[in-house]
Amino acid sequence: MFQFGHKSVDVSLCDGVLTVATPDNDVVVSIEIRRMLKVNIKDGSLTVHYVEKKKNNTLNMRTLSLNADFEDIQTLYRDLDSKFKGRPKSLLVIINPNAGKKRGIKVYKKIADSLFQLCGVKADIIVTSKQNEPTDILKNYDLSKIDGIVTVGGDGLYCECMNGLVKRVQQDNSVNLDNHNANIVSSALPIGIIPAGSGDVIVQYLHGTRCPSTAVLHILLGNHVDSNIVSVHAGRHLLSYSALVLGFGLFGDMMHDCEKFRWMGPSRYNIIPLASMLKRREFDVEVEYYPLTQKEKPKTARLYGRQISLPNGFLSQSKLQRKQRTKSSSDLQKESSVNEDLVKEEGRVYAVDSHAIMMKEKSGRMTPHFGQNSLMVYTTHKCTLRDHVSQLTKVKNEKPHCYDYKFVSKHEVAGYRVKLLNAIVNTAGNNKELQKDYYINCDGECIRLKEPVFNVKLHRNAVTLFGDFAD
């Protein structure tokens, strides 16, 4: 018989649930083992630290204390402790001290540090001092000594770490990063995000809240979610991997304009894009989409850890030869091959955008979906400024049907290729430069194109995140 406060209670452990009940079978508390953080034993008392999920998706830590004779306490402790397998015990923590309102270090010390100590987690803490430093850190770091990587910052720091980790995994497996058709190897090492940035979009998608303590608790619980990424290549070189949004055209110009006003801090993202909209540019492009046919839809199984990228060799010469000629038109013209495995559009557009985390309508709003079988690409062509602003406002506010406009074409694809028509390339020795400036927004990083063609490809479940997807 156990004691809970002044009450005598029965304790049972069945089907992954610890139940504390009165002798009359009235349940006092019921705790799933997957929601437990730590079990401590001291002076004949057993304390269970566990989490409780609220309606707003935040997690709060709770404690349960039980008393009993020595043998009963020891037996229950051993039974519970044996269930705590797969929880992280050693983590590499990378902190961006300048993220958001420069509170990365404060968030870690105030929230994460004490919880990590409670759960016996050893943390190797590195505070970054320059952009893209995580890539350099992960290039030679001994990954075998850690159970995961934790970022304390915003979406930018996560994307830097994701790029560094994915590149390191390919390096270790002799995969050519610059081959845009390569099957990349998925990373088994999970990444956790403790939000301390200005946007924190990915962690909001993942947990349904930007609460830092909730993010820390998800990391300690050790649950995982697989997520897609996309690669972008130009001139036979990898430009970057994207975990969130890849935008050519308008969103590239917006990010370039925002970079010029970094002194404004996070507020620039609410002000500068308005000016970018007023001077929006049209681009003459040819876009080739590679939709998934029924035969090409991805398998869910992984073979020997190798991730199945979609589809292999999708820019092969045999498929390109099956294209029909593009009809001449000032507007976008669509054409399909006989096998419907390639669609091409040509004309003037404002933007070509894709999202590694797919957004779908559910319960009256657009919600994120991780690890989908395909990539959604949105091409925006000629429209009035008023209609364009209306559409982008709905996108920002995650309104349903935000892409259901006549001037937005949607394609569910495995990848796509964008060619800038009439773009002039200047060559000086081995260096190439485009005469005009063209930009890609890759998860908030502004990339200036040096080649008139770039390729984008989906890589399913290439990275693993700590957390429970809040759908």
Side-chain angles (χ1 to χ4, degrees), residues 275-414:
S276 303
M277 280 293 298
L278 295 176
K279 60 178 184 178
R280 57 186 181 150
R281 296 191 287 169
E282 286 186 284
F283 303 88
D284 288 316
V285 298
E286 175 186 275
V287 186
E288 294 179 349
Y289 306 95
Y290 301 88
L292 295 173
T293 64
Q294 197 65 31
K295 183 178 180 181
E296 291 173 321
K297 285 191 176 180
K299 301 176 181 178
T300 56
R302 297 184 192 175
L303 301 178
Y304 305 103
R306 181 168 288 274
Q307 175 257 335
I308 303 171
S309 297
L310 308 174
N312 188 25
F314 68 81
L315 279 180
S316 63
Q317 186 64 27
S318 61
K319 287 186 179 180
L320 292 176
Q321 289 175 343
R322 290 201 294 268
K323 293 189 301 181
Q324 299 176 357
R325 292 181 179 274
T326 305
K327 298 178 182 178
S328 176
S329 172
S330 59
D331 295 324
L332 292 180
Q333 295 292 331
K334 184 187 294 184
E335 59 180 35
S336 300
S337 68
V338 175
N339 293 334
E340 297 184 354
D341 60 351
L342 187 148
V343 177
K344 184 170 75 171
E345 293 182 337
E346 181 178 315
R348 297 178 67 82
V349 303
Y350 288 120
V352 182
D353 308 309
S354 55
H355 303 263
I357 301 173
M358 186 179 289
M359 303 297 289
K360 290 185 177 182
E361 184 182 351
K362 182 179 180 180
S363 301
R365 60 187 294 266
M366 299 297 284
T367 60
H369 292 259
F370 290 80
Q372 294 293 296
N373 291 345
S374 55
L375 178 69
M376 286 299 296
V377 186
Y378 305 98
T379 305
T380 307
H381 47 96
K382 193 167 184 178
C383 61
T384 65
L385 179 61
R386 180 179 179 178
D387 286 343
H388 202 173
V389 171
S390 172
Q391 187 259 331
L392 291 179
T393 301
K394 288 185 178 180
V395 172
K396 181 180 179 181
N397 295 329
E398 299 178 348
K399 297 293 185 181
H401 313 299
C402 58
Y403 294 106
D404 293 344
Y405 284 77
K406 290 183 179 180
F407 55 85
V408 179
S409 61
K410 299 177 289 185
H411 300 270
E412 194 167 349
V413 303

Side-chain angles (χ1 to χ4, degrees), residues 263-276:
W263 57 269
M264 293 177 63
S267 63
R268 69 187 184 275
Y269 297 117
N270 296 321
I271 300 172
I272 304 304
L274 298 176
S276 303

Side-chain angles (χ1 to χ4, degrees), residues 439-456:
Y439 302 103
I440 292 176
N441 175 0
C442 181
D443 296 337
E445 178 189 358
C446 182
I447 300 175
R448 184 178 182 274
L449 289 174
K450 296 182 179 181
E451 299 278 349
V453 178
F454 65 90
N455 296 282
V456 177

Side-chain angles (χ1 to χ4, degrees), residues 86-99:
R87 304 292 179 91
K89 289 301 179 184
S90 179
L91 296 169
L92 168 62
V93 179
I94 300 178
I95 304 175
N96 178 3
N98 297 314

Side-chain angles (χ1 to χ4, degrees), residues 220-258:
L220 293 171
L221 291 173
N223 296 315
H224 299 160
V225 174
D226 288 339
S227 188
N228 297 342
I229 63 173
V230 300
S231 59
V232 54
H233 289 76
R236 298 181 181 180
H237 293 287
L238 172 70
L239 298 182
S240 188
Y241 292 106
S242 169
L244 189 59
V245 61
L246 189 72
F248 165 76
L250 177 61
F251 286 112
D253 286 349
M254 284 180 175
M255 188 51 56
H256 174 257
D257 293 342
C258 285

